[in-house]
Amino acid sequence: LVAFDKLKGLLLPDKPVLFPGQQPLNILLGLAALALGGLVISDPSALTSYGLLVIVGSILGILLTIPIGGADMPVAIALLNSYSGLAAASTGFVLSNDILIITGSLVGASGLILTRIMCKAMNRSLMNVLLGAIGEESASAPGADEVYAGKVKSASAEEVAMLLDGARRVVVVPGYGMAVAQAQHQVRDLANLLEGNGTEVEYAIHPVAGRMPGHMNVLLAEADVDYDKLREMDSINPSFEQTDVSLIIGANDIVNPVARTDPSSPIAGMPILDVDKSRTVVVIKRSLSPGFAGIPNPLFAADNTLMLFADGKQAILDLIAAVKEN
């Protein structure tokens, strides 16, 4: 519930919620939960102990999740998935149900593996995640007005189509915005159109683009995009300097150069796609709103960046029409 609320921005801020004595309180609640669990096991008819265990466990779950900032929420989701598997396996032992034990163990183990993958992609240690100490943000970080004021260059679909028409190599960077707009089929059509004009088109896939690892791979596979054209971050990063146009569709934090330049940033050290090294960067977004990390992206104000403000699917449809006219 906390992770959902933070992603939706309904009640809780996407920034970490921290207060003095938070970790000692978590440890105390954890010990209390273990003690109450022992009481429930020793006397299963003790409904008071069971009720207290539910209350203490719920409070502990909330306190373990609220310190996690929006930038690290994908890691938290992977870890919570693992917890759900462990809970199912534990239930299987209580009920002597082999199916629950097996499936719960599979979900728990795969969730931990997924968490490890996410930790590596977000440059976080597993212990850092388990202690609930991730995502603390710098109060001195520059605001959006300071980063964007007078520097953002907006472009039309026709102007971007002219760039694409003269490009020899285009790299598409899909993000959560493409997933929300369900624009993967239109992206495939645009790529096919460019390839028909002799342009080389590839897709740069970041491990945590979207909500989970493999999110973009699944969407593009659904649109019948050739798997060989999907390039992992490590393999495609060296080629961005030879890329004429990088077309970013709804991605934000995974292309934010602050990760390389600002050690106080909540995404400091996170491996990113080096799209800023391309000759031209075109970013398709509805607005300049931040990503999970809740910080502005200097890439949007860079000299070689053009912003195409529109819904992902509509923007690609407009580009297809403009490229055909050219």
Side-chain angles (χ1 to χ4, degrees):
L1 289 173
V2 173
F4 172 81
D5 188 90
K6 277 178 169 281
L7 291 175
K8 283 291 186 180
L10 300 176
L11 299 175
L12 296 170
D14 57 3
K15 296 182 179 180
V17 178
L18 304 169
F19 57 85
Q22 195 163 4
Q23 293 300 343
L25 178 58
N26 288 342
I27 294 173
L28 184 63
L29 288 171
L31 293 175
L34 290 174
L36 289 168
L39 290 174
V40 171
I41 292 172
S42 63
D43 182 9
S45 63
L47 295 181
T48 302
S49 298
Y50 177 75
L52 289 173
L53 177 59
V54 171
I55 294 172
V56 170
S58 299
I59 295 173
L60 181 60
I62 292 172
L63 292 181
L64 286 174
T65 313
I66 58 174
I68 301 173
D72 300 292
M73 196 50 67
V75 183
I77 293 172
L79 186 61
L80 292 171
N81 284 340
S82 176
Y83 288 164
S84 70
L86 296 177
S90 301
T91 304
F93 280 110
V94 172
L95 301 179
S96 298
N97 187 313
D98 292 341
I99 295 178
L100 267 180
I101 294 172
I102 294 170
T103 54
S105 299
L106 288 173
V107 172
S110 59
L112 282 176
I113 294 171
L114 185 60
T115 302
R116 287 286 297 170
I117 295 172
M118 301 287 278
C119 285
K120 183 178 179 181
M122 302 289 286
N123 196 38
R124 306 289 183 187
S125 69
L126 181 58
M127 188 56 65
N128 193 243
V129 176
L130 293 173
L131 292 176
I134 58 180
E136 187 170 358
E137 301 182 22
S138 171
S140 60
D145 291 341
E146 182 181 347
V147 174
Y148 299 139
K151 302 174 185 176
V152 176
K153 298 182 290 295
S154 179
S156 65
E158 290 73 20
E159 291 171 320
V160 174
M162 292 177 62
L163 281 173
L164 296 174
D165 187 52
R168 289 178 298 177
R169 184 171 191 271
V170 173
V171 173
V172 178
V173 181
Y176 184 62
M178 185 190 79
V180 171
Q182 287 290 294
Q184 61 268 28
H185 297 280
Q186 288 70 30
V187 170
R188 174 208 59 201
D189 294 342
L190 176 61
N192 290 343
L193 185 61
L194 294 176
E195 288 173 336
N197 294 337
T199 303
E200 177 190 3
V201 180
E202 289 185 318
Y203 300 81
I205 308 298
H206 192 281
V208 295
R211 283 291 192 263
M212 287 288 173
H215 193 173
M216 299 299 108
N217 302 66
V218 171
L219 292 177
L220 293 172
E222 178 188 311
D224 295 325
V225 173
D226 188 350
Y227 185 78
D228 292 335
K229 295 176 183 176
L230 307 186
R231 300 279 302 280
E232 298 295 333
M233 176 178 60
D234 292 337
S235 66
I236 201 168
N237 265 349
S239 68
F240 275 113
E241 292 183 0
Q242 289 77 48
T243 300
D244 295 305
V245 179
S246 285
L247 183 62
I248 300 171
I249 309 172
N252 198 327
D253 296 329
I254 62 171
V255 295
N256 193 333
V258 165
R260 295 195 308 257
T261 59
D262 185 1
S264 66
S265 168
I267 61 171
M270 185 182 91
I272 62 168
L273 293 166
D274 296 331
V275 294
D276 54 317
K277 298 179 181 179
S278 307
R279 293 185 179 92
T280 305
V281 179
V282 177
V283 181
I284 297 176
K285 272 178 66 69
R286 288 177 178 270
S287 66
L288 293 173
S289 59
F292 279 138
I295 57 175
N297 189 342
L299 175 69
F300 300 163
D303 293 337
N304 61 334
T305 297
L306 295 174
M307 300 293 300
L308 179 55
F309 293 109
D311 169 78
K313 180 182 289 188
Q314 188 58 50
I316 299 299
L317 288 173
D318 292 344
L319 283 177
I320 291 173
V323 169
K324 286 181 178 179
E325 288 180 5
N326 286 342

